[in-house]
């Protein structure tokens, strides 16, 4: 029988304690997977989300919930099959504690079954498709962005309040495009002259603009994010239609596209849950900090990701990494605690936002082109699908 001296036993206990402490620290570290389109014509939308999220993490000292945070970034290229591969990698190989971003609605919906099955917390910062808002809601899937119809509903309400009689509708042919036009029609009660769906990432709209001009509507409502919006607005201006036809839009004229559009977008009216023109203390600080770091004005995509990071910070302060159910519950509660840059914010029963939707006009301000707050058509808006969701 071998005996050890008291000094050796003490040394062994100290080493064991240090090993346990190291393991505890390792277990407490948070790993976040961030998926967004970071290449191609829509890359600016993805990059703004990444930059907004990372700005918040930097302000929090590189931590979330007081724990060191590692953020793994992946480019889904706006392709559902690639998005699905990335999500599986995040869950099965990287063992992430949460997935943020989740790309556009078509990519998100393709990834949803694996996310739901895994139980891993996921926070969308650029989508809120109608199936997820309704019967397909999931307890571990959230959106700090919007239910897709929301901003479009605000534009429909705004147009209705302005007495517009006939509107021409246009959007790319995928889930979010259909949701946007559905949202507009929910509140606009006038005549829909035509409802046109174009290809995703279509560069040339000359044929559609000729049809639009021939239809002679009172106004046009469009949803064309990123590079699609730049091409559409520039071609509309070149055709002389911006001066003749009131343009209402969502996710078309914003912080990602305005630097390229500038004067071409002046006079357009946009529906959004946030714009850099919003005059609240949280919004003004966020804009100043973002501009100081990245030398450009943030878009609503940056704002949603910034809020997502701050929500995760609150949640991870209450639920430690590794406990997905506890973290999901903490994220839900954190929605009501976070001081959002957009004003009022909370998660509804379906884990999508209850928030204001504003109307902003693009105006010339000296040598710059900026947004101007016109109205809040839908304050603290609740989406149209939440009653179909079984969650409470």
């Amino acid at each position: 029988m071998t005996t050890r001296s008291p000094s050796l036993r003490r040394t062994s206990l100290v080493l064991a304690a240090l090993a346990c402490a190291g393991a505890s620290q390792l277990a407490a570290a948070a790993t976040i997977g961030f998926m967004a389109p970071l290449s191609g014509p829509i890359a600016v939308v993805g990059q703004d989300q990444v930059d907004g999220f990372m700005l918040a993490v930097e302000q929090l000292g590189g931590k979330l919930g007081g724990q060191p945070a590692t953020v793994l970034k992946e480019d889904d290229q706006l392709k559902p099959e690639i998005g699905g591969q990335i999500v599986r990698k995040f869950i099965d190989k990287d063992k992430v504690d949460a997935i943020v971003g989740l790309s556009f609605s078509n990519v998100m919906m393709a990834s949803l079954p694996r996310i739901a099955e895994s139980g891993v917390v996921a926070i969308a910062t650029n989508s809120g498709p109608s199936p997820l808002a309704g019967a397909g809601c999931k307890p571990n899937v959230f959106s700090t962005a919007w239910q897709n119809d929301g901003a479009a509903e605000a534009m429909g309400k705004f147009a209705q309040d302005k007495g517009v009689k006939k509107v021409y509708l246009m959007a790319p042919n995928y889930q979010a495009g259909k949701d946007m036009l559905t949202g507009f029609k929910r509140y606009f009660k006038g005549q829909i002259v035509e409802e046109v769906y174009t290809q995703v990432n279509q560069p040339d709209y000359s044929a559609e603009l000729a049809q639009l001009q021939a239809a002679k509507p009172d106004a046009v409502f469009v949803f064309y994010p990123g590079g699609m919006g730049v091409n559409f607005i520039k071609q509309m201006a070149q055709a002389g239609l911006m001066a003749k036809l009131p343009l209402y839009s969502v996710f078309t004229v914003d912080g990602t596209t305005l630097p390229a559009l500038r004067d071409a977008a002046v006079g357009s009216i946009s529906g959004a849950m946030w714009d850099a023109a919003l005059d609240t203390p949280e919004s003004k600080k966020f804009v100043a900090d973002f501009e100081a770091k990245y030398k450009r004005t943030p878009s609503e995509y940056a704002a949603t990701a910034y809020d997502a990071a701050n929500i995760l910070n609150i949640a991870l302060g209450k639920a430690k990494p590794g406990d997905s159910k506890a973290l999901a519950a903490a994220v839900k509660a954190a929605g009501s605690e976070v001081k959002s840059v957009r004003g009022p914010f909370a998660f509804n029963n379906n884990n999508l936002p209850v928030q204001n939707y504003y109307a902003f006009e693009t105006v010339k301000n000296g040598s710059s082109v900026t947004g101007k707050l016109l109205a809040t058509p839908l304050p603290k808006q609740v989406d149209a699908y939440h009653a179909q969701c079984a969650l409470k």
Side-chain angles (χ1 to χ4, degrees):
M1 181 175 176
T2 304
T3 59
R4 290 182 292 177
S5 69
S7 61
L8 283 174
R9 284 197 298 272
R10 283 194 297 271
T11 301
S12 298
L13 289 170
V14 168
L15 290 173
L18 288 172
C20 288
S24 175
Q25 289 176 354
L26 183 63
T31 303
I32 310 299
F34 202 113
M35 181 176 80
L38 298 173
S39 59
I42 213 74
V44 64
V45 172
Q47 192 60 54
D48 245 34
Q49 292 170 71
V50 170
D51 290 346
F53 190 87
M54 295 310 298
L55 174 63
V57 173
E58 180 182 291
Q59 291 175 342
L60 293 164
K63 299 178 179 180
L64 291 172
Q67 304 148 45
T70 299
V71 182
L72 309 175
K73 303 162 198 167
E74 294 283 356
D75 175 15
D76 60 65
Q77 303 175 41
L78 198 55
K79 296 178 180 177
E81 65 277 11
I82 293 178
Q85 293 169 9
I86 292 170
V87 163
R88 288 193 294 273
K89 172 183 173 290
F90 281 158
I91 294 169
D92 300 331
K93 181 181 177 182
D94 299 323
K95 309 294 183 185
V96 299
D97 299 295
I99 302 173
V100 181
L102 296 177
S103 192
F104 279 46
S105 293
N106 56 338
V107 179
M108 180 186 182
M109 290 304 295
S111 305
L112 190 59
R114 182 68 188 101
I115 294 171
E117 176 189 48
S118 71
V120 170
V121 167
I123 302 178
T125 54
N126 180 44
S127 62
S130 52
L132 181 68
C137 62
K138 308 296 179 187
N140 61 314
V141 183
F142 300 80
S143 175
T144 56
W146 39 74
Q147 196 286 306
N148 285 350
D149 304 19
E153 290 175 339
M155 282 293 90
K157 178 72 161 50
F158 187 84
Q160 182 69 25
D161 293 346
K162 288 293 181 182
V164 177
K165 302 299 183 186
K166 300 187 298 182
V167 178
Y168 196 98
L169 308 181
M170 296 181 66
N173 189 17
Y174 74 109
Q175 183 68 56
K178 295 172 184 176
D179 285 349
M180 299 296 174
L181 299 196
T182 296
F184 184 91
K185 291 184 291 183
R186 186 171 290 121
Y187 281 82
F188 178 72
K189 304 306 179 184
Q191 180 186 352
I192 302 300
V193 178
E194 193 68 62
E195 187 170 332
V196 176
Y197 291 97
T198 54
Q199 294 181 359
V200 175
N201 283 336
Q202 179 174 317
D204 182 17
Y205 298 93
S206 55
E208 288 82 4
L209 289 175
Q211 294 169 4
L212 166 62
Q213 192 164 12
K216 298 181 179 179
D218 296 331
V220 58
F221 168 74
V222 305
F223 161 66
Y224 284 117
M228 290 185 284
V230 172
N231 290 335
F232 180 85
I233 298 292
K234 283 187 172 181
Q235 290 169 35
M236 192 169 172
Q238 288 164 3
L241 291 176
M242 288 295 290
K244 300 176 183 177
L245 190 60
L247 173 66
Y248 300 128
S249 72
V250 288
F251 309 106
T252 301
V253 180
D254 59 27
T256 66
T257 60
L258 205 51
L261 290 171
R262 295 191 56 76
D263 290 9
V266 170
S268 62
I269 296 174
S270 304
M273 36 57 73
W274 181 86
D275 183 89
L278 194 63
D279 188 9
T280 68
E282 291 81 11
S283 179
K284 290 170 72 173
K285 182 180 185 305
F286 165 61
V287 171
D289 292 346
F290 191 97
E291 288 180 340
K293 182 170 179 61
Y294 300 112
K295 312 306 178 188
R296 69 180 192 276
T297 301
S299 69
E300 65 266 44
Y301 310 107
T304 59
Y306 184 82
D307 278 352
N310 283 301
I311 286 171
L312 271 175
N313 178 57
I314 295 170
L316 283 165
K318 299 176 180 179
K320 299 305 178 186
D323 189 341
S324 295
K325 285 187 177 180
L327 182 57
V331 167
K332 183 76 167 250
S336 299
E337 299 175 36
V338 72
K339 291 186 177 180
S340 171
V341 300
R342 72 196 80 186
F345 181 88
F347 286 121
N348 203 352
N349 67 300
N350 57 1
N351 294 341
L352 271 70
V354 176
Q355 60 189 347
N356 290 351
Y357 285 100
Y358 307 97
F360 298 95
E361 182 181 8
T362 305
V363 298
K364 195 75 182 285
N365 186 7
S367 60
S368 62
V369 178
T370 62
K372 175 185 176 183
L373 180 62
L374 294 180
T376 308
L378 296 175
K380 295 185 180 179
Q381 173 70 346
V382 174
D383 69 73
Y385 306 97
H386 77 99
Q388 302 169 27
C389 173
L391 300 175
K392 296 181 180 180

mmCIF file with all atom_site columns, all heavy atoms in Angstrom, residues 321-335:
data_model
loop_
_atom_site.group_PDB
_atom_site.id
_atom_site.type_symbol
_atom_site.label_atom_id
_atom_site.label_alt_id
_atom_site.label_comp_id
_atom_site.label_asym_id
_atom_site.label_entity_id
_atom_site.label_seq_id
_atom_site.pdbx_PDB_ins_code
_atom_site.Cartn_x
_atom_site.Cartn_y
_atom_site.Cartn_z
_atom_site.occupancy
_atom_site.B_iso_or_equiv
_atom_site.pdbx_formal_charge
_atom_site.auth_seq_id
_atom_site.auth_comp_id
_atom_site.auth_asym_id
_atom_site.auth_atom_id
_atom_site.pdbx_PDB_model_num
ATOM 1  N N   . PRO A 1 321 ? -24.141 29.061 -20.919 1.00 0.00 ? 321 PRO A N   1
ATOM 2  C CA  . PRO A 1 321 ? -24.037 28.299 -22.161 1.00 0.00 ? 321 PRO A CA  1
ATOM 3  C C   . PRO A 1 321 ? -24.166 26.795 -21.900 1.00 0.00 ? 321 PRO A C   1
ATOM 4  O O   . PRO A 1 321 ? -23.726 26.292 -20.870 1.00 0.00 ? 321 PRO A O   1
ATOM 5  C CB  . PRO A 1 321 ? -22.629 28.644 -22.658 1.00 0.00 ? 321 PRO A CB  1
ATOM 6  C CG  . PRO A 1 321 ? -22.328 29.978 -22.063 1.00 0.00 ? 321 PRO A CG  1
ATOM 7  C CD  . PRO A 1 321 ? -22.990 29.959 -20.716 1.00 0.00 ? 321 PRO A CD  1
ATOM 8  N N   . GLY A 1 322 ? -24.785 26.111 -22.835 1.00 0.00 ? 322 GLY A N   1
ATOM 9  C CA  . GLY A 1 322 ? -24.962 24.662 -22.698 1.00 0.00 ? 322 GLY A CA  1
ATOM 10 C C   . GLY A 1 322 ? -26.360 24.252 -22.304 1.00 0.00 ? 322 GLY A C   1
ATOM 11 O O   . GLY A 1 322 ? -26.753 23.108 -22.513 1.00 0.00 ? 322 GLY A O   1
ATOM 12 N N   . ASP A 1 323 ? -27.135 25.170 -21.735 1.00 0.00 ? 323 ASP A N   1
ATOM 13 C CA  . ASP A 1 323 ? -28.514 24.874 -21.338 1.00 0.00 ? 323 ASP A CA  1
ATOM 14 C C   . ASP A 1 323 ? -29.445 25.614 -22.294 1.00 0.00 ? 323 ASP A C   1
ATOM 15 O O   . ASP A 1 323 ? -29.850 26.744 -22.050 1.00 0.00 ? 323 ASP A O   1
ATOM 16 C CB  . ASP A 1 323 ? -28.752 25.305 -19.886 1.00 0.00 ? 323 ASP A CB  1
ATOM 17 C CG  . ASP A 1 323 ? -30.096 24.834 -19.347 1.00 0.00 ? 323 ASP A CG  1
ATOM 18 O OD1 . ASP A 1 323 ? -30.975 24.497 -20.154 1.00 0.00 ? 323 ASP A OD1 1
ATOM 19 O OD2 . ASP A 1 323 ? -30.268 24.826 -18.110 1.00 0.00 ? 323 ASP A OD2 1
ATOM 20 N N   . SER A 1 324 ? -29.782 24.955 -23.399 1.00 0.00 ? 324 SER A N   1
ATOM 21 C CA  . SER A 1 324 ? -30.532 25.614 -24.468 1.00 0.00 ? 324 SER A CA  1
ATOM 22 C C   . SER A 1 324 ? -31.917 26.072 -24.028 1.00 0.00 ? 324 SER A C   1
ATOM 23 O O   . SER A 1 324 ? -32.365 27.167 -24.375 1.00 0.00 ? 324 SER A O   1
ATOM 24 C CB  . SER A 1 324 ? -30.655 24.676 -25.678 1.00 0.00 ? 324 SER A CB  1
ATOM 25 O OG  . SER A 1 324 ? -29.391 24.420 -26.238 1.00 0.00 ? 324 SER A OG  1
ATOM 26 N N   . LYS A 1 325 ? -32.613 25.226 -23.260 1.00 0.00 ? 325 LYS A N   1
ATOM 27 C CA  . LYS A 1 325 ? -33.968 25.585 -22.831 1.00 0.00 ? 325 LYS A CA  1
ATOM 28 C C   . LYS A 1 325 ? -33.948 26.803 -21.915 1.00 0.00 ? 325 LYS A C   1
ATOM 29 O O   . LYS A 1 325 ? -34.774 27.709 -22.049 1.00 0.00 ? 325 LYS A O   1
ATOM 30 C CB  . LYS A 1 325 ? -34.631 24.407 -22.132 1.00 0.00 ? 325 LYS A CB  1
ATOM 31 C CG  . LYS A 1 325 ? -35.081 23.301 -23.080 1.00 0.00 ? 325 LYS A CG  1
ATOM 32 C CD  . LYS A 1 325 ? -35.884 22.241 -22.347 1.00 0.00 ? 325 LYS A CD  1
ATOM 33 C CE  . LYS A 1 325 ? -36.389 21.174 -23.318 1.00 0.00 ? 325 LYS A CE  1
ATOM 34 N NZ  . LYS A 1 325 ? -37.179 20.126 -22.628 1.00 0.00 ? 325 LYS A NZ  1
ATOM 35 N N   . ALA A 1 326 ? -33.013 26.814 -20.984 1.00 0.00 ? 326 ALA A N   1
ATOM 36 C CA  . ALA A 1 326 ? -32.908 27.962 -20.077 1.00 0.00 ? 326 ALA A CA  1
ATOM 37 C C   . ALA A 1 326 ? -32.518 29.222 -20.834 1.00 0.00 ? 326 ALA A C   1
ATOM 38 O O   . ALA A 1 326 ? -33.019 30.318 -20.550 1.00 0.00 ? 326 ALA A O   1
ATOM 39 C CB  . ALA A 1 326 ? -31.897 27.662 -18.975 1.00 0.00 ? 326 ALA A CB  1
ATOM 40 N N   . LEU A 1 327 ? -31.630 29.065 -21.827 1.00 0.00 ? 327 LEU A N   1
ATOM 41 C CA  . LEU A 1 327 ? -31.193 30.229 -22.598 1.00 0.00 ? 327 LEU A CA  1
ATOM 42 C C   . LEU A 1 327 ? -32.351 30.787 -23.434 1.00 0.00 ? 327 LEU A C   1
ATOM 43 O O   . LEU A 1 327 ? -32.525 32.001 -23.531 1.00 0.00 ? 327 LEU A O   1
ATOM 44 C CB  . LEU A 1 327 ? -30.015 29.865 -23.494 1.00 0.00 ? 327 LEU A CB  1
ATOM 45 C CG  . LEU A 1 327 ? -29.433 31.021 -24.317 1.00 0.00 ? 327 LEU A CG  1
ATOM 46 C CD1 . LEU A 1 327 ? -28.997 32.175 -23.423 1.00 0.00 ? 327 LEU A CD1 1
ATOM 47 C CD2 . LEU A 1 327 ? -28.266 30.542 -25.179 1.00 0.00 ? 327 LEU A CD2 1
ATOM 48 N N   . ALA A 1 328 ? -33.163 29.902 -24.022 1.00 0.00 ? 328 ALA A N   1
ATOM 49 C CA  . ALA A 1 328 ? -34.319 30.356 -24.798 1.00 0.00 ? 328 ALA A CA  1
ATOM 50 C C   . ALA A 1 328 ? -35.282 31.150 -23.922 1.00 0.00 ? 328 ALA A C   1
ATOM 51 O O   . ALA A 1 328 ? -35.790 32.208 -24.332 1.00 0.00 ? 328 ALA A O   1
ATOM 52 C CB  . ALA A 1 328 ? -35.031 29.170 -25.431 1.00 0.00 ? 328 ALA A CB  1
ATOM 53 N N   . ALA A 1 329 ? -35.534 30.655 -22.719 1.00 0.00 ? 329 ALA A N   1
ATOM 54 C CA  . ALA A 1 329 ? -36.423 31.366 -21.796 1.00 0.00 ? 329 ALA A CA  1
ATOM 55 C C   . ALA A 1 329 ? -35.828 32.716 -21.400 1.00 0.00 ? 329 ALA A C   1
ATOM 56 O O   . ALA A 1 329 ? -36.542 33.724 -21.278 1.00 0.00 ? 329 ALA A O   1
ATOM 57 C CB  . ALA A 1 329 ? -36.680 30.515 -20.560 1.00 0.00 ? 329 ALA A CB  1
ATOM 58 N N   . ALA A 1 330 ? -34.503 32.748 -21.238 1.00 0.00 ? 330 ALA A N   1
ATOM 59 C CA  . ALA A 1 330 ? -33.835 34.000 -20.853 1.00 0.00 ? 330 ALA A CA  1
ATOM 60 C C   . ALA A 1 330 ? -33.850 35.010 -21.996 1.00 0.00 ? 330 ALA A C   1
ATOM 61 O O   . ALA A 1 330 ? -33.994 36.219 -21.766 1.00 0.00 ? 330 ALA A O   1
ATOM 62 C CB  . ALA A 1 330 ? -32.401 33.697 -20.416 1.00 0.00 ? 330 ALA A CB  1
ATOM 63 N N   . VAL A 1 331 ? -33.703 34.530 -23.227 1.00 0.00 ? 331 VAL A N   1
ATOM 64 C CA  . VAL A 1 331 ? -33.787 35.420 -24.385 1.00 0.00 ? 331 VAL A CA  1
ATOM 65 C C   . VAL A 1 331 ? -35.183 36.037 -24.476 1.00 0.00 ? 331 VAL A C   1
ATOM 66 O O   . VAL A 1 331 ? -35.336 37.232 -24.714 1.00 0.00 ? 331 VAL A O   1
ATOM 67 C CB  . VAL A 1 331 ? -33.439 34.656 -25.685 1.00 0.00 ? 331 VAL A CB  1
ATOM 68 C CG1 . VAL A 1 331 ? -33.825 35.477 -26.916 1.00 0.00 ? 331 VAL A CG1 1
ATOM 69 C CG2 . VAL A 1 331 ? -31.949 34.321 -25.728 1.00 0.00 ? 331 VAL A CG2 1
ATOM 70 N N   . LYS A 1 332 ? -36.198 35.206 -24.274 1.00 0.00 ? 332 LYS A N   1
ATOM 71 C CA  . LYS A 1 332 ? -37.575 35.696 -24.332 1.00 0.00 ? 332 LYS A CA  1
ATOM 72 C C   . LYS A 1 332 ? -37.779 36.832 -23.319 1.00 0.00 ? 332 LYS A C   1
ATOM 73 O O   . LYS A 1 332 ? -38.338 37.886 -23.652 1.00 0.00 ? 332 LYS A O   1
ATOM 74 C CB  . LYS A 1 332 ? -38.519 34.535 -24.018 1.00 0.00 ? 332 LYS A CB  1
ATOM 75 C CG  . LYS A 1 332 ? -40.009 34.848 -24.108 1.00 0.00 ? 332 LYS A CG  1
ATOM 76 C CD  . LYS A 1 332 ? -40.472 34.918 -25.558 1.00 0.00 ? 332 LYS A CD  1
ATOM 77 C CE  . LYS A 1 332 ? -41.988 34.915 -25.650 1.00 0.00 ? 332 LYS A CE  1
ATOM 78 N NZ  . LYS A 1 332 ? -42.532 33.692 -26.188 1.00 0.00 ? 332 LYS A NZ  1
ATOM 79 N N   . ALA A 1 333 ? -37.313 36.620 -22.088 1.00 0.00 ? 333 ALA A N   1
ATOM 80 C CA  . ALA A 1 333 ? -37.462 37.642 -21.049 1.00 0.00 ? 333 ALA A CA  1
ATOM 81 C C   . ALA A 1 333 ? -36.622 38.879 -21.344 1.00 0.00 ? 333 ALA A C   1
ATOM 82 O O   . ALA A 1 333 ? -37.044 40.013 -21.084 1.00 0.00 ? 333 ALA A O   1
ATOM 83 C CB  . ALA A 1 333 ? -37.068 37.053 -19.696 1.00 0.00 ? 333 ALA A CB  1
ATOM 84 N N   . ALA A 1 334 ? -35.436 38.671 -21.925 1.00 0.00 ? 334 ALA A N   1
ATOM 85 C CA  . ALA A 1 334 ? -34.532 39.790 -22.199 1.00 0.00 ? 334 ALA A CA  1
ATOM 86 C C   . ALA A 1 334 ? -35.106 40.756 -23.218 1.00 0.00 ? 334 ALA A C   1
ATOM 87 O O   . ALA A 1 334 ? -34.759 41.945 -23.223 1.00 0.00 ? 334 ALA A O   1
ATOM 88 C CB  . ALA A 1 334 ? -33.184 39.268 -22.684 1.00 0.00 ? 334 ALA A CB  1
ATOM 89 N N   . GLY A 1 335 ? -36.004 40.269 -24.078 1.00 0.00 ? 335 GLY A N   1
ATOM 90 C CA  . GLY A 1 335 ? -36.631 41.147 -25.053 1.00 0.00 ? 335 GLY A CA  1
ATOM 91 C C   . GLY A 1 335 ? -37.364 42.311 -24.416 1.00 0.00 ? 335 GLY A C   1
ATOM 92 O O   . GLY A 1 335 ? -37.432 43.406 -24.983 1.00 0.00 ? 335 GLY A O   1
#
